[in-house]
Amino acid sequence: MAESAVRLPDPAVEARLARLDELLAGLESAPGPAAREALESVRLLTEVYGEALARVVDVADERLSERLAGDELLGHLLVLHRVHPEPAERRAARAVERLRPAVRERGGDLEWAGIEGRVARVRVSGGGGCGSGCGGGSADVTEVVRAAVLAAAPELTAVEPVAEERRAAPAFVPLGSIRRRAAAEEAR
């Protein structure tokens, strides 16, 4: 990297992204050809930068691809430009795993259940489907999971909770009744 290159810390990047959102929202609501041209300029610049990023991914070896994808800002840009080297299912599963410790702290659990078509499926369990043990109910947890999964893999169309599998408790059969039954069968 050149000595003159200026690196922004993550909070500064986040502040710039927030300001960019504000400016773009203002341009989108502004009338006239100047606003339309400004928005078109941003769109074209984004497309060119996206193509440049795609070319970097094309020439990157596996180790560099992993490092690019592992950086939060670069990972989001790779997703935005649809050139992320990892499949959507792996990114979505990792998003669920990142949320899992927080849900477990509140008495629930999450488990990645896979993708059907373009729909992610996540098992939300514990405390009656997480219930009040997950800090506000399973609907809150489901919404947080939905947002995280779709941010990591926007090519998916939805996130559906999978019902917790209910397993019947094993029946208790007294040993004496087994012996009586076995003795009765021998007597026949």
Side-chain angles (χ1 to χ4, degrees):
M1 182 191 295
E3 274 186 52
S4 62
V6 176
R7 300 294 303 271
L8 297 173
D10 286 344
V13 171
E14 290 171 13
R16 283 166 172 76
L17 289 172
R19 179 66 178 139
L20 181 60
D21 282 343
E22 291 172 7
L23 292 170
L24 289 173
L27 280 173
E28 287 171 347
S29 64
R36 285 191 301 273
E37 288 176 2
L39 285 171
E40 182 180 7
S41 297
V42 170
R43 183 184 57 76
L44 292 171
L45 184 61
T46 301
E47 286 177 9
V48 170
Y49 280 7
E51 176 58 24
L53 188 56
R55 291 178 185 194
V56 167
V57 170
D58 286 346
V59 300
D61 62 18
E62 186 176 336
R63 184 169 168 242
L64 179 57
S65 289
E66 287 175 6
R67 288 184 64 203
L68 293 171
D71 179 275
E72 186 175 5
L73 177 59
L74 289 172
H76 286 298
L77 288 174
L78 293 168
V79 166
L80 174 71
H81 293 288
R82 301 183 192 284
V83 295
H84 201 288
E86 290 182 322
E89 183 160 6
R90 190 176 312 151
R91 288 181 272 130
R94 190 171 41 251
V96 169
E97 284 304 312
R98 278 194 300 264
L99 291 173
R100 197 171 193 196
V103 173
R104 281 183 165 176
E105 281 181 12
R106 290 164 180 80
D109 199 6
L110 296 176
E111 182 182 345
W112 177 249
I115 293 178
E116 290 181 15
R118 294 181 56 197
V119 176
R121 300 182 45 81
V122 179
R123 189 169 287 108
V124 180
S125 62
C130 236
S132 61
C134 284
S138 63
D140 292 343
V141 171
T142 301
E143 180 54 31
V144 168
V145 170
R146 186 193 71 73
V149 167
L150 294 179
E155 57 270 61
L156 299 177
T157 58
V159 178
E160 291 180 355
V162 176
E164 184 177 1
E165 292 178 20
R166 305 239 180 224
R167 296 185 182 133
F172 174 74
V173 180
L175 186 57
S177 69
I178 293 174
R179 288 185 181 148
R180 281 192 301 272
R181 195 174 304 157
E185 286 182 17
E186 282 181 15
R188 285 190 213 169

